[in-house]
Amino acid sequence: MNQMMEEQQHLIFVYQELLAQKEALTHLIATQTSAQLQDLRQVGSDIRLNFDSITDSLDTYAAIESKNREIDQMNLLLASAQNELDKIKRLLKRPYFGKLSLRFIEETEEDAFYIGVNGFTDEKKESLIYDWRSPIAAVFYENNQGLTAYQVNGETIAVHVAHRRQFMIEEDHLEKIIDTSIGLQDEFLLAALASVNTQEMSAITASIQTEQNEIIRDTKHHNILVHGVAGSGKTSVAMQRIAFLLYHYRQQLTSDDVMILSPNTGFTQYIAQVLPSLGEKNPRTLTLTQLIGSLAEPFKSTEVQTFSTMFAKPTKEKQILRQSPFVAFLKEIASVPAKKISLPFKPIDYKGKEIISIETMQTLYKSTPETATIQERLQGVKQRLHAQWYRRLESNAKNSTILSQVLSLTEVQQQQMFGHLLPDEQTKTIEQAALSLLKRKYASVTSAIEKMSWVNQQTFTADLFQQFSGDSFSGKPSESDIDYQVLDLIIQQLFIQKMDVSDLTYLFIDEAQDYTPAQIELLLLLFPKTAFTLIGDENQSIFETTISFEEIEALFSQADSPIFRYDLTKSYRSSGTITARFAALQAKNSQKSITAIRPCGQEIVYIEHIDDEQLLSHLAESPFDLTVLTKSQTEATRLAAELSTSALHPIITVLPVHLAKGLEYPHVLLYNVNNANYQSELDQRVLYTAISRATETLTITSKETLSDLVMFAKKNLNDR
């Protein structure tokens, strides 16, 4: 009771300090904004514009620059104050969630450190709350009692952990204290999980587990691969890792240096508020389709088309394109001198007229060193084409007909074409104007040279494919087919010219198991210096496109960029009963002991021989809102249309399983789980994924008898 009273008093003290700073910052922002507006109004009267002489002009420019610096400093002050105010507003909801009592070596007294979602110092610059990402806060998440240590700027600080304390707090009210000697207690974790909104990462930050904390704070390994079972918090860990890295490297890292590859646009929207809830700006978040669309021209695939490709059984040709042996073959050819390899070219035309012939390109290519690689030789051709083309434009600019056309331009036409009037009619001036006109007229030719569209990449690809496989290539692929576009980009990157992509420090890939080896190879080629964090679950490989985690490790090793693997086997999302059910559906070669953290909860409901009309009646009687998961998009579209004509009181959301990946729902109904829909190993992984979306209740229905896979899972569960 005394501890409760002492901690409550401390909480009130900290809360009052937060309120005081909130008031002070609010006042500062209001007054400084008003002062800045007043200063801007007075700029005209404060600065007398005088350009009568060079000295007067310099004085005027100096006064303007001085005023600009004042405005910039004021903007920086306001931005800093607003950022601090936002942090305090977050802390006022829950000032802190933990406390460490530490004794530093060679000291006799203990020091208390309170841990929160952000740090907070009072007016005396004393830290009242430490950011969860700070070095000393790492001790809070570790399973250590007694002597331990933490790292600060490469230096090891030894400390003795006296005790660790967790708090349940709402604003300035202390609801509960939990003292723990080892790690974070399940009681606290379950309370956090019960109340957490996945998009509000500040709440789950309080309950980071030791194995998750190790991943979040890993700065030793350049690349990280996280294999986590369903509900193990993989995505939360990835988001918190981003927040930690932005904090840890805040002097040299910004959100612009980070990119997330999301499995679909719906998931992108789902995680949109995760990092802002921790006070960080969202990095660029794209799907792989969007990333490729930004690089490939033309690439017109939609997300639906990409998913259709991922679901379809691949042809023999596609199987070759997706796998790493073909990419390895391409990389080997690209890395050696191209002595005996001839390249197919295309002429560069302008309005149907040939401007640069194939013969010219072949001659230039033969003149490049045979000891160079294909890409080096092509880049040499490109440079010479640019030089020849510029000389040709310069020569044509001196043509009397072109010069006469320039001289005949009216003042209005000169203004439209050059943005200004020609200063005189001297020969050099007119020739420069003529050259400018020719550059504009033939801009498409210059662009074709620069983009290297004169390389017949389609024919070159077909030749390479035939060399590797002995089979002919199918020809020009659909512009919406992601596999062929990935191949085009790999060949462009290896043989033609490096693509202009933004430098990234960190790349995060969610649902890594849904990538093909070729797609991973492409990302390694595009971002050779980038640190990768990949997360996924092999049991959720629900598409025909897939890669094993062993293959991922091998690809990174071959790229001389080893990847360190973590395995997460605790499931925090679903009830114990639901967790046990999807755990029984793991693939035989990846049987991991999945530990359920939540209590057993309600039993799973099985309903057989229920048609759509009966299902609608069942849904109408649901006491809560439901998410219905179907195996296919076609089923989801049809069922949603049927539901739209019914006046159901609960909210019923219908989704295909692949769009529900990475998400969670309290109450889930699986639609038509029969042997026709669920029979193969792939279907088993789909079922694992679908069941693991539910957190509280799960209903499995079928129009006929239930799938043998469901019965198999029930038998596995009963045998345990």
Side-chain angles (χ1 to χ4, degrees), residues 455-517:
V455 178
N456 193 331
Q457 187 171 330
Q458 184 182 344
T459 301
F460 182 50
T461 299
D463 291 344
L464 291 170
F465 184 84
Q466 189 165 33
Q467 286 183 49
F468 176 79
S469 67
D471 297 327
S472 59
F473 198 55
S474 65
K476 184 172 175 58
S478 165
E479 293 173 353
S480 64
D481 194 304
I482 193 169
D483 291 310
Y484 289 96
Q485 294 298 337
V486 166
L487 175 62
D488 279 351
L489 292 177
I490 288 174
I491 288 179
Q492 182 179 339
Q493 188 76 358
L494 288 174
F495 294 100
I496 302 174
Q497 65 180 355
K498 305 289 185 188
M499 281 169 278
D500 185 18
V501 295
S502 302
D503 290 333
L504 290 176
T505 307
Y506 291 97
L507 176 62
F508 286 76
I509 301 176
D510 202 355
E511 304 288 356
Q513 74 280 350
D514 291 337
Y515 285 67
T516 65

Side-chain angles (χ1 to χ4, degrees), residues 94 189-207 236 270 572 598 664:
R94 187 186 190 192
L189 173 61
L190 291 174
L193 290 171
S195 61
V196 69
N197 177 342
T198 305
Q199 294 172 294
E200 279 290 331
M201 198 58 66
S202 56
I204 200 67
T205 296
S207 57
S236 297
Y270 183 70
Y572 303 92
R598 291 183 184 266
E664 60 186 56

Side-chain angles (χ1 to χ4, degrees), residues 8 117 136 150 190 447 584 593 715:
Q8 178 64 60
V117 70
I136 201 167
Y150 64 95
L190 291 174
S447 176
S593 178
K715 181 180 183 301

